Amino acid sequence: MFRSLPLAAAAAGVAVLASIAPLALPAVAVAEPVPAAAQSVSLHQGAEVITGRATELYPEGIAWDPTRRAFLVGSASQGNLSVIGQDGGIKELAPSIGMVSTLGIRVDVARNRILVAYSDFWVRQRLDVGDQPPTSGVAVFALDTGKLQRKVDVAGGRGRTFANDLTFDRRGNIYVTDSVSDTIQRIGLDGKVTPVVTDPRFAADIVGLNGIVWHPDGYLLAVRYDTGVMFRINPNAPAHRRVTEVKLPRPLVGTDGLGLRPDGSLVVVTNSIGAAVGVPGGVDAVTVLESKDGWRTAGFSKRLDPWATQGPTTVAVTPHGDYVLSGDVGELMAGRTSDLVTLRRIPGSESGGYGR
């Protein structure tokens, strides 16, 4: 996600929330697909562009669901979970879990889980949430039914908290970024929350750590939105060696979502949405990074700048290629309305068989 503001700066960026429906109310996002010539190709091959419409959905996070052969998205405004088919049809899978935004999403097929980061950081700056304390956590849904199984709090009683993105390792441990915290949290299969690492380089006044992925070699990669700095985090290393900065050709300011491909390359989605809330410098672009030294350094193997659809937030790696989500969250931030959701495939990714 792209924003995490001090209260003094919040009003300029979140005025739109006054005009949307109450977030605590479940809402069904159902849409007819938008006709597009690109969608005439076979489902096996996959469409270049998938478009759909859903009122006030504004999805920020996305994941590929191989069991449904479809995409799962959250909602920055409604706090629910929806399915987007390869034909662009959108329907609700799980109703709103409360006055929160549902953000980063991962699918854990082996454990029949959908993992969703959620937070009320946006909501509480504009709406009256009553006695609800600052809220951040991970919601676990059954993959086969969409039923909510548990909600795990990661706020820990902090006065400012913004769970934003998440990933999981081969043992099922979940790792969560908090964009206003200097700590990455881990959630075990038993639901116990423990800090993985606390580092002053993560702390931010506006927005810090955002996208995060687990590398099969046993470490995490995470990027700050505001500075574009990438970190390599080894949870099992000694404390003083746990976090190292990945050397990049240049910082990737505005990094929102990350997608690790089976070939080991990393898709990085940046956007300019933060400019509306005091984080200048980001551009709407998609960059593919490769590393030859275990992500101590990395280089650009591909860069698409500008991205063809404004406001991209993250990417889903699928058998049909890598699809970048643009859910018009920027329109939400600017106080405008939109019902358009666009998934655009990275050119050339369909030939790699990523995500099979």
Side-chain angles (χ1 to χ4, degrees):
M1 195 46 183
F2 44 79
R3 71 180 291 272
S4 177
L5 295 177
L7 294 181
V14 205
V16 66
L17 288 176
S19 64
I20 63 175
L23 302 185
L25 297 177
V28 178
V30 180
E32 294 297 327
V34 176
Q39 294 178 5
S40 63
V41 298
S42 69
L43 294 184
H44 177 73
Q45 180 182 352
E48 293 182 6
V49 180
I50 299 170
T51 53
R53 295 189 180 275
T55 303
E56 294 179 346
L57 189 65
Y58 305 107
E60 191 270 350
I62 189 172
W64 172 251
D65 176 2
T67 67
R68 292 180 173 85
R69 294 175 56 82
F71 301 90
L72 303 181
V73 297
S75 172
S77 62
Q78 295 183 12
N80 62 355
L81 193 62
S82 298
V83 178
I84 301 181
Q86 295 183 59
D87 62 353
I90 304 176
K91 63 179 180 180
E92 185 176 82
L93 176 64
S96 173
I97 59 173
M99 297 184 72
V100 296
S101 301
T102 40
L103 302 169
I105 301 175
R106 301 288 177 183
V107 172
D108 182 1
V109 176
R111 299 171 185 84
N112 190 40
R113 301 188 300 176
I114 306 168
L115 310 174
V116 181
Y118 66 85
S119 173
D120 72 344
F121 190 83
W122 288 5
V123 182
R124 70 184 308 102
Q125 293 180 62
R126 190 62 188 177
L127 303 180
D128 181 4
V129 298
D131 295 332
Q132 177 172 302
T135 300
S136 279
V138 171
V140 180
F141 299 86
L143 177 59
D144 55 352
T145 65
K147 183 178 180 180
L148 179 65
Q149 295 180 324
R150 64 162 52 168
K151 291 166 66 178
V152 182
D153 173 69
V154 298
R158 294 190 301 273
R160 296 180 72 234
T161 179
F162 190 4
N164 200 327
D165 200 8
L166 78 173
T167 188
F168 64 94
D169 64 22
R170 65 188 64 185
R171 296 183 177 180
N173 297 304
I174 303 166
Y175 302 86
V176 190
T177 58
D178 186 320
S179 292
V180 297
S181 173
D182 59 1
T183 300
I184 294 176
Q185 304 281 6
R186 174 170 49 205
I187 303 172
L189 286 173
D190 59 358
K192 183 179 180 181
V193 179
T194 56
V196 173
V197 61
T198 297
D199 193 293
R201 288 173 289 182
F202 298 163
D205 291 330
I206 299 179
V207 59
L209 288 184
N210 196 338
I212 189 170
V213 294
W214 174 262
H215 194 283
D217 288 344
Y219 51 86
L220 299 157
L221 297 172
V223 185
R224 286 185 64 132
Y225 183 93
D226 54 355
T227 65
V229 174
M230 177 179 287
F231 298 98
R232 182 185 191 274
I233 302 122
N234 185 342
N236 299 314
H240 67 287
R241 297 174 53 193
R242 199 162 292 176
V243 181
T244 57
E245 184 177 328
V246 179
K247 295 181 180 179
L248 302 175
R250 64 177 181 271
L252 290 168
V253 177
T255 293
D256 202 332
L258 306 177
L260 187 66
R261 290 167 159 175
D263 69 349
S265 59
L266 184 71
V267 181
V268 180
V269 179
T270 60
N271 60 53
S272 57
I273 297 172
V277 292
V279 189
V283 296
D284 294 345
V286 174
T287 305
V288 180
L289 299 179
E290 293 182 349
S291 177
K292 298 180 179 179
D293 58 5
W295 291 95
R296 290 165 180 83
T297 65
F300 295 178
S301 66
K302 186 171 190 174
R303 183 168 172 83
L304 300 166
D305 178 5
W307 184 242
T309 307
Q310 69 177 10
T313 53
T314 191
V315 61
V317 177
T318 88
H320 317 293
D322 310 326
Y323 282 85
V324 176
L325 168 67
S326 297
D328 270 355
V329 180
E331 295 297 288
L332 178 72
M333 294 298 298
R336 298 183 292 266
T337 60
S338 173
D339 62 357
L340 182 62
V341 179
T342 305
L343 309 182
R344 183 177 294 275
R345 187 171 59 198
I346 298 174
S349 64
E350 69 277 10
S351 62
Y354 302 118
R356 290 190 189 277

